[in-house]
Structure formats: structure tokens, C-alpha cells
Amino acid sequence: SEMSSGLSPLDIVEQKTALQTLEREHRTALVALDEIAQQAGKRPVYQKRGNIFFRTDTNKLLADVKKQEKDTRARKDATQIALDQMVGTIMDERAKRPPLVSSDTLWEDFGVGEKVEVHGLAKAPQYNGKRGVIERWEGDRFVVKLEGKDKGVKIKPDNLRAVTARNKHTDNDRGADHEEEEEEGPAAFSGIVHER
């Protein structure tokens, strides 16, 4: 599920994982600095290079670990800034989405990957009744990949309804069963489109 900026939830997960790794590396460097400071002059100090430990000067080791801590902190901070920007971009895109209540249709935030049916198009009536899957939000419309089409079609939310067992019936088919479903009310929160 990609946003119009090209970001996906997977990008954010990867960025968070990278940040957690850098935070661990930074904590390790801080602990090492503390341990080196406590050991200064008390006993020999060794530094690992590859798979071999070499005896080293405490001041040299301290300088190396301080540099490692500084570099890790800078990478961690840069990763945090990038993550904040990614989250901000996604939040901005969500804020640009249309309101939940429109003049013709009540809809509860269609999601990417949701199956929908097109209705009420005047300029492109050939798409009315066609079903598809929401690919992303772009501008003031959803991009919907319709059955039998290679490219997504941009459609306003007012011209989409969720494909459910309920809206497979025509208005003529709706009777007492339909009224009972609405009275029960669980669909009011499930993202199902209700026509007025």
C-alpha cells in the first residue's frame, strides 16, 4: 500500500529497524566509554580488530571509541530525522484526503486494497458498475485498478462504494432483510458505504 509520495508502510518499518540498530550501537559505545574511563591506568587495555585483540594505549582507545560514539550518534540522529520526515509526509497526505462526509455518500475512509464498485459517473459511464481495487490516494481521487484494465483510473470517493454482500443487491431486492441489517448497526463502523 503505497502513498502518492511513493512511501509505503514497509519503508517506515525499515527506517524504524535501522534506528533501533543505531540506538543499540550508540548505547554500546557509551558503555564502552564509561568502562574505559573507569579502567584507565588500572590494568592493560585491549582493542579488538577483526578477530584479534591487541594491547593498546588507553588514550588511543578512548579517542577511537569517542569517534565511534560521535559517528553513531550522528547516523542515529540523521535516521531519526528521516523517519520523522517520512511520517510527516504520510500524515500530510492523509490530511489532504477528502472529508469523511460528502454530499451523496457517507464513507469510512476507504483503504488501499479495498474492493470497490464504481457508480454515478456521468462523463465516463462505461465504468459504472465496474469493480476494482483501490491502489492509492492521489489529489482528490482514489486510483482504482478496475477489472480488465491495466492502468488505474482516478475516481472521486462519491463515485465508489465498498463491495460487500449488502450492496450486491439492487434497490428492488432490498426489503425487510436490509432494514434489519441497518438496525443492528455494526456496519456503521466497518467502512461500508451507505447511500442516502
Side-chain angles (χ1 to χ4, degrees):
S1 61
E2 224 171 78
M3 305 297 281
S4 62
S5 63
L7 293 175
S8 75
L10 185 59
D11 295 327
I12 291 178
V13 169
E14 288 173 357
Q15 198 74 5
K16 282 184 177 180
T17 302
L19 181 61
Q20 289 170 345
T21 301
L22 289 169
E23 286 172 341
R24 276 193 304 274
E25 288 178 22
H26 186 243
R27 281 192 304 272
T28 301
L30 290 173
V31 169
L33 281 173
D34 187 45
E35 288 176 354
I36 293 167
Q38 289 178 12
Q39 295 300 323
K42 293 183 181 174
R43 59 182 184 174
V45 179
Y46 295 88
Q47 184 174 19
K48 185 176 181 182
R49 287 187 224 136
N51 290 328
I52 302 173
F53 287 89
F54 295 91
R55 188 174 181 156
T56 186
D57 176 60
T58 305
N59 292 332
K60 181 184 176 324
L61 180 60
L62 193 59
D64 288 349
V65 174
K66 279 183 181 178
K67 181 182 180 307
Q68 178 187 357
E69 183 274 333
K70 183 180 175 185
D71 291 347
T72 305
R73 183 176 4 107
R75 288 183 12 238
K76 177 180 73 101
D77 292 347
T79 302
Q80 181 67 59
I81 289 168
L83 178 61
D84 291 346
Q85 288 173 341
M86 291 169 83
V87 170
T89 298
I90 288 174
M91 296 306 288
D92 288 347
E93 287 180 1
R94 287 186 178 166
K96 292 176 186 173
R97 293 178 86 164
L100 292 180
V101 179
S102 65
S103 59
D104 301 319
T105 309
L106 287 175
W107 57 283
E108 299 286 332
D109 204 17
F110 288 116
V112 172
E114 188 168 344
K115 293 179 182 176
V116 292
E117 183 176 12
V118 180
H119 69 94
L121 293 178
K123 293 183 180 176
Q126 70 272 20
Y127 296 133
N128 290 333
K130 299 279 185 191
R131 293 185 175 196
V133 176
I134 294 178
E135 290 185 330
R136 66 183 176 278
W137 176 255
E138 197 171 293
D140 64 342
R141 299 162 194 256
F142 287 106
V143 177
V144 180
K145 174 128 177 27
L146 296 174
E147 293 172 351
K149 289 203 56 81
D150 292 333
K151 289 187 173 183
V153 178
K154 293 180 184 179
I155 303 173
K156 289 183 179 179
D158 285 352
N159 297 110
L160 295 174
R161 61 178 151 231
V163 175
T164 65
R166 180 184 302 183
N167 66 13
K168 286 181 184 175
H169 303 291
T170 64
D171 288 341
N172 297 336
D173 293 338
R174 293 181 179 174
D177 291 343
H178 177 68
E179 290 174 15
E180 286 175 22
E181 285 180 347
E182 287 187 343
E183 286 173 14
E184 291 173 17
F189 301 99
S190 66
I192 296 172
V193 175
H194 299 280
E195 291 187 89
R196 289 185 179 176

